[in-house]
Amino acid sequence: RQLARSVLLNQAELAPTTVITRKLRLPASHIPRLIELLNPVRSSLRRNFVWTFAGYMVFSACQWSILSLLAKLTTPEVVGKYALALAIIAPLMMVANFNIGVMLVTDTERKFRFADYRFLRLGLIAIIILIAMPVVALVCHFSLEVTLVILVVGLTQAVDCYSELHYSVMQRSERMNRIATSLITRGSISLVLAGLVLFYTHQLLWAVTAMAIVRLLVLFSYDIPMCSETEASVREPLQGNWFNLK
């Protein structure tokens, strides 16, 4: 703001190349910076990269720390159960993902509304949770505890998958700082809460349940409101015909 004010008020010091607009002579070298200051919604590429890098680095570090806590506070058998749940859920979530977020980001002409993508994502998640995961658990003859762990971990991953769709809306509007804030919040709170539960109970099921609760709280308290605000800033409603996506 100070730079913009100095550029507009200081008409005496001129660069070799100037632009004259309404009798205000502006140094040409200041024009890109002035445009960025007058339009703060569009962040620079450098700022977007820093926010994205920081968000995913912190989130990945928190995920690694959770595995470390499991190894330190529980037995190798418990760590194996958690790894088994992740191994089963990961390919199923790849099907639920279906690159819908990529389609939303690249839909620059806004041919389909957010509700169309949301309907498709929720439909795939429902099929995975209600049909695919129970069938896998029954076919493999897992114990009740392992089955519950798989279902809760699947719920956690499903919430992350749904949050990723909201991230795509923010990415399309270049609001990477909001994505990073959500990732850091989800990762750090999940780490702290899961660590406390493991320390006092040493139960994997309660720890993954705490992680699922954190994911749901962040989704409804931050991701969805920020997505709505981002779409409102570009005057695009979130409601739409769910059956228009072909």
Side-chain angles (χ1 to χ4, degrees):
R1 294 179 180 177
Q2 293 178 355
L3 177 60
R5 189 179 299 109
S6 63
V7 170
L8 293 175
L9 296 180
N10 188 6
Q11 305 178 28
E13 299 180 2
L14 299 178
T17 304
T18 61
V19 177
I20 302 177
T21 305
R22 296 184 180 180
K23 300 182 180 180
L24 293 178
R25 292 176 292 183
L26 305 178
S29 60
H30 289 168
I31 292 178
R33 177 61 178 164
L34 181 61
I35 293 175
E36 181 180 353
L37 290 172
L38 295 178
N39 189 12
V41 177
R42 294 290 181 177
S43 302
S44 64
L45 178 61
R46 181 183 304 175
R47 188 179 301 114
N48 286 335
F49 173 79
V50 171
W51 274 111
T52 304
F53 181 80
Y56 281 99
M57 281 296 295
V58 172
F59 184 76
S60 300
C62 291
Q63 297 297 102
W64 176 84
S65 300
I66 291 175
L67 287 175
S68 299
L69 287 176
L70 283 172
K72 293 290 184 180
L73 300 177
T74 61
T75 63
E77 181 183 358
V78 174
V79 179
K81 292 178 181 179
Y82 185 68
L84 175 63
L86 291 178
I88 293 175
I89 297 303
L92 297 179
M93 285 299 109
M94 291 180 62
V95 176
N97 189 5
F98 208 65
N99 281 336
I100 298 176
V102 176
M103 292 188 289
L104 192 153
V105 173
T106 55
D107 185 17
T108 56
E109 297 181 359
R110 305 298 200 273
K111 293 183 179 180
F112 306 102
R113 298 184 180 181
F114 177 78
D116 302 324
Y117 299 98
R118 179 177 58 190
F119 174 75
L120 183 57
R121 173 62 58 85
L122 289 177
L124 292 174
I125 290 176
I127 293 174
I128 296 300
I129 294 179
L130 299 178
I131 300 177
M133 288 194 300
V135 169
V136 171
L138 291 175
V139 169
C140 296
H141 300 287
F142 292 133
S143 64
L144 178 60
E145 181 184 2
V146 174
T147 302
L148 291 177
V149 169
I150 292 174
L151 292 177
V152 176
V153 173
L155 175 62
T156 304
Q157 296 295 323
V159 175
D160 290 346
C161 184
Y162 187 56
S163 293
E164 186 270 338
L165 186 64
H166 296 80
Y167 293 166
S168 300
V169 176
M170 304 175 197
Q171 181 181 354
R172 185 169 61 180
S173 299
E174 299 183 11
R175 303 306 297 267
M176 308 304 294
N177 58 326
R178 295 182 174 180
I179 299 177
T181 301
S182 176
L183 288 171
I184 294 173
T185 303
R186 286 195 296 130
S188 58
I189 297 179
S190 296
L191 173 61
V192 172
L193 195 57
L196 291 175
V197 172
L198 285 174
F199 181 78
Y200 286 105
T201 66
H202 300 279
Q203 296 293 325
L204 176 61
L205 181 59
W206 292 115
V208 294
T209 302
M211 294 170 56
I213 293 174
V214 171
R215 299 295 211 277
L216 287 170
L217 289 177
V218 175
L219 172 65
F220 288 105
S221 64
Y222 185 83
D223 294 342
I224 293 178
M226 287 297 101
C227 178
S228 301
E229 182 179 335
T230 302
E231 288 294 270
S233 64
V234 295
R235 298 180 180 180
E236 178 181 345
L238 289 178
Q239 288 75 24
N241 185 0
W242 291 353
F243 300 98
N244 284 336
L245 191 60
K246 299 181 181 179

